[in-house]
């Protein structure tokens, strides 16, 4: 018996998934699509597992049916479908872990035959990570170890690597995957016998790689709403039970017939590119550009087609004997949408779709089996559209970097000609030849390059504007660049580094580049590597703290303690103080250490602080420890002592570059000036964006650097990031600053972005306002929010991934998280662990526990 299976889906407990993806909703839409077997997805989530156990009963070995199959049809006026639907227990796991010096991000699908196996697997996984946070849990578990757990807890189950070519989260992904199956699964590789191709590739592309010949290629929808079921499916002709299905996948001759696919160009990652820059390249264009986006200068996201080419060892696909068939289709709603000229989610499209399903039974029956003459009377041009799709005569605009591609059937002006001249129905299409599976060619997609959009800079990242060019190539020994927001500050800094290395042939070891975060340092290094290669590894790129700490460690062993450890040690020194007073004292000590000490006559209050601080420092010195806040002033003191003794210091630093110079504090400024006495110094920042005064930074220092007569002062004025209303509003605020750059920005991005001003009486009220605005942007998250008008008109072109919340203080996140969770909005809280709390330094905590008597 032949049946159709979609084995990879998600439940309502997964982020950004429709609430209608419960079992009745999945059953209703499976009938509409013509699907007989549906994976449950998300069996690791306790809430979803409870739903499954309550509503499913075993029908055949390892296959389940809904207890009450009399569910409402997917359409209000639809008739009950006769399609018999079964479910099989599946779940997707996101494994993020480090292997071979790289972070790996792999998604894998688990398939098991019974609930007892699910419970055993869940117990093991719950001991490793949080399986309740998301339907697709993120666990720091090696894929090989995940497979081992599956084999131990469910020997009858099997694992399939999911969407194996997706750049960011897959087995062969260009960003964080492996080059071979063996590299990923090691000694357990023999237990992998099937691979999920994903939406952006098809079997023909995969058959360019001989190493995949012995693996069955399956396809699934990976859908997040029941209406997307069946985007890709598998066809079986074996008995309907878990074990027969598994053996058919393992050995297709036992009943795995083939797959129905997306056209791979419709997938979100088929080509290379940058969605935010509107850049889409085929692999040859990418290589010609050295993998760098010509708009922003960042590495391109390498797509599926390119990645397959890199691993391919064949110039054309070679199919194993009796290889299953595959057929590419276009979703029926998209076909209707193109014909009538409205969006696929519109009521008109849904109305025509419902009529076709009610007439012909299922979507797959319409697309594959219904006679064209019957379709001719259903919707004008539908028969011609379906004929072309069945013959692979489609027009492909490939997706890239998270942007779905577009598959159309008619040329731009062809629809009007067809509608106006019925005789054209009989003409043959000449522009797109029929494609057959065995005639597939080398996986190089046609060139699809998007023109520059209005939002993009008018100046290419490789062609600096005159102001940028002057800053990049200046030969002055002291350079201060005032770079307004969106004027290409980071690009200018990196280009200056490239200029020094490539044009002036400066030795990398002579260059020090200072940033304010480890993340920024990593991004600069990554972009530099993509241009100058190994030279970048020999350039010092770090934060002020990391640079000074590294130099101190060259002289002696140093243990660094941070805020938590300081509080712990003060508990021993000041046992009589309350927790609140001791915390305030800790903050005052941190401030005084950052400023480099309290010199001269002190008021009574400061003398007390000085005494306590010295007791604290003495306790640190006794064990060779160093407070985080005194790393820079302490290093500066050592430099001065060595210089006074006649020793030449920092003689290896001949070129200094400092980013975000508007946020330096006194000790950081003095260190910059100390190095600038002998090194060519380039500092860049925006005094109109100085925000760290509460941490000790002093904007006056930015302008003081310019007071030296030998300093060349340059300005970047062309803003490529923000729409004119944003630039105008910002200028109005900046004009009231006591200290300001005086730079008048010229906006080059188009748009009329609206600005909203809100004064909230409390953090909670502010959070509620923010979340309310998000609901308006996305058109509501529930019927209640739409019906009450809380979400505006209930219509929107925005999704959650288009929205970010930026906050200045970390404590503001608490109210925002509470409000988001209360409204049920999915979110990710992004944070960076301080460098001094990494494993090799964090050990100081245990010393402090002992020192404090803990």
């Amino acid at each position: 018996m032949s049946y159709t299976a979609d084995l990879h889906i998600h439940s309502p407990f997964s982020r950004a998934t429709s609430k209608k993806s419960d079992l009745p909703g999945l059953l209703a839409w499976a009938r509409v699509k013509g699907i007989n077997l549906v994976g449950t997805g998300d069996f690791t989530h306790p809430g979803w597992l409870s739903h499954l156990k309550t509503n499913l009963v075993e029908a055949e070995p390892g296959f389940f049916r809904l207890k009450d199959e009399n569910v409402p049809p997917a359409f209000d006026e639809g008739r009950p479908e006769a399609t018999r639907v079964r479910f099989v227990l599946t779940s997707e796991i996101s494994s993020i872990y480090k292997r071979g010096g790289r972070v790996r991000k792999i998604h894998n699908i688990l398939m098991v035959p019974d609930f007892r196996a699910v419970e055993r697997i869940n117990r093991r996984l719950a001991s490793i990570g949080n399986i309740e946070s998301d339907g697709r849990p993120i666990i720091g578990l090696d894929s090989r170890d995940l497979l081992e757990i599956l084999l131990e807890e469910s020997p009858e189950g099997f694992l399939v690597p999911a969407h194996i070519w997706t750049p960011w989260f897959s087995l062969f992904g260009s960003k964080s995957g492996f080059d071979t199956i063996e590299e990923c699964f090691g000694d357990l590789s023999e237990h992998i016998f099937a691979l999920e191709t994903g939406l952006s590739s098809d079997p023909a592309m995969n058959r360019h790689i001989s190493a995949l010949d012995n693996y069955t290629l399956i396809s699934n929808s990976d859908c997040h709403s029941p209406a997307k079921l069946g985007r890709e499916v598998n066809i079986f002709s074996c008995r309907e039970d878990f074990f027969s299905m598994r053996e058919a996948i393992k050995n297709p001759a036992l009943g795995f017939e083939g797959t129905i696919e997306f056209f791979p160009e419709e997938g979100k990652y088929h080509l290379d590119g940058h969605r935010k820059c509107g850049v889409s390249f085929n692999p040859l264009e990418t290589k010609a550009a050295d993998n760098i986006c010509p708009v922003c200068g960042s590495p391109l996201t390498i797509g599926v087609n390119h990645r397959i080419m890199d691993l391919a060892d064949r110039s054309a696909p070679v199919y194993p004997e009796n290889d299953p068939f595959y057929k590419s289709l276009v979703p029926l709603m998209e076909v209707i949408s193109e014909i009538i000229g409205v969006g696929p989610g519109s009521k008109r499209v849904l109305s025509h779709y419902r009529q076709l399903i009610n007439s012909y039974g299922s979507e797959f029956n319409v697309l594959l089996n219904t006679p064209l003459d019957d379709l001719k009377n259903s919707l004008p041009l539908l028969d011609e559209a379906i004929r072309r799709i069945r013959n692979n005569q489609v027009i492909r605009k490939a997706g890239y970097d998270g942007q779905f591609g577009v598959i159309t059937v008619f040329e731009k002006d062809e629809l009007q000609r067809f509608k106006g001249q019925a005789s054209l129905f009989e003409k043959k299409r000449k522009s797109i030849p029929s494609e057959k599976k065995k005639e597939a060619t080398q996986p190089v997609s046609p060139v699809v390059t998007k023109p520059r959009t209005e939002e993009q800079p008018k100046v290419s990242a490789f062609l600096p504007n005159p102001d940028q060019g002057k800053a990049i190539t200046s030969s002055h020994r002291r350079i201060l660049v005032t770079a307004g927001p969106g004027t290409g500050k980071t690009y200018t800094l990196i280009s200056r580094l490239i200029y020094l290395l490539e044009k002036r042939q400066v030795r990398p070891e002579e260059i020090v580049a200072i940033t304010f975060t480890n993340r920024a340092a990593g991004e600069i290094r990554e972009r530099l590597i993509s241009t100058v290669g190994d030279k970048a590894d020999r350039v010092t790129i770090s934060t002020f703290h990391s640079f000074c700490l590294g130099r101190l460690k060259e002289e002696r062993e140093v243990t660094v303690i941070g805020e938590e450890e300081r509080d712990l040690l003060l508990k021993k020194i000041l046992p009589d103080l309350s927790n609140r007073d001791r915390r305030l004292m800790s903050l005052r000590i941190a401030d005084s250490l950052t400023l480099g000490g309290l010199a001269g006559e002190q008021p009574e209050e400061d003398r007390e602080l000085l005494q306590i601080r010295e007791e604290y420092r003495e306790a640190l010195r006794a064990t060779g420890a160093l407070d985080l806040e005194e790393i820079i002033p302490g290093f500066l003191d050592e430099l001065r002592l060595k210089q006074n003794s006649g020793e030449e210091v920092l003689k290896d630093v001949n070129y200094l570059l400092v980013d975000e110079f508007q946020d330096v504090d006194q000790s950081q400024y003095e260190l910059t000036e100390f190095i600038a006495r002998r090194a060519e110094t380039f500092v860049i920042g925006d005094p109109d964006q100085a925000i760290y005064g509460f941490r000790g930074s002093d904007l006056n220092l930015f302008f003081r650097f310019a007071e030296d007569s030998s300093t060349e002062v340059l300005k970047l004025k062309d803003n490529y990031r923000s729409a004119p209303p944003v630039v105008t509003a910002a200028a109005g605020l900046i004009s009231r600053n006591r200290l300001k750059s005086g730079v008048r920005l010229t906006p080059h991005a188009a748009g009329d972005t609206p600005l909203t001003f809100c004064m909230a009486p409390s953090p909670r009220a502010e959070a509620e306002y923010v979340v309310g605005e998000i609901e308006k942007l996305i058109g509501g998250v529930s019927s209640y929010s739409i019906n009450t008008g809380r979400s505006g008109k209930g219509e929107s072109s925005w999704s959650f991934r288009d929205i970010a919340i930026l906050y200045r203080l970390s404590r503001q996140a608490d109210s925002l998280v509470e409000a988001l969770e209360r409204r049920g909005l999915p979110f990710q809280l992004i944070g960076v662990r301080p460098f001094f709390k990494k494993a090799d330094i964090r050990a100081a905590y245990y010393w402090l526990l002992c020192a404090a008597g803990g």
Side-chain angles (χ1 to χ4, degrees), residues 476-479 656-658 672 675-676 679-683 705:
H476 279 67
R477 289 192 60 79
R478 286 174 61 101
I479 306 166
L656 174 67
L657 298 92
V658 183
T672 301
I675 299 175
E680 185 175 303
T681 302
F682 175 97
V683 301
F705 192 86

Side-chain angles (χ1 to χ4, degrees), residues 736-767:
R736 297 176 177 269
N737 290 354
R738 181 179 61 85
L739 291 173
K740 48 184 175 289
S741 69
V743 173
R744 295 179 62 87
L745 294 177
T746 301
H748 289 272
D752 54 354
T753 305
L755 301 178
T756 303
F757 177 73
C758 170
M759 292 186 66
S762 69
R764 285 193 171 186
E766 181 184 55

Side-chain angles (χ1 to χ4, degrees), residues 796-810:
S796 174
S797 60
W798 300 97
S799 66
F800 289 116
R801 67 187 305 166
D802 298 315
I803 302 167
I805 304 173
L806 304 181
Y807 50 88
R808 182 173 182 179
L809 301 176
S810 58

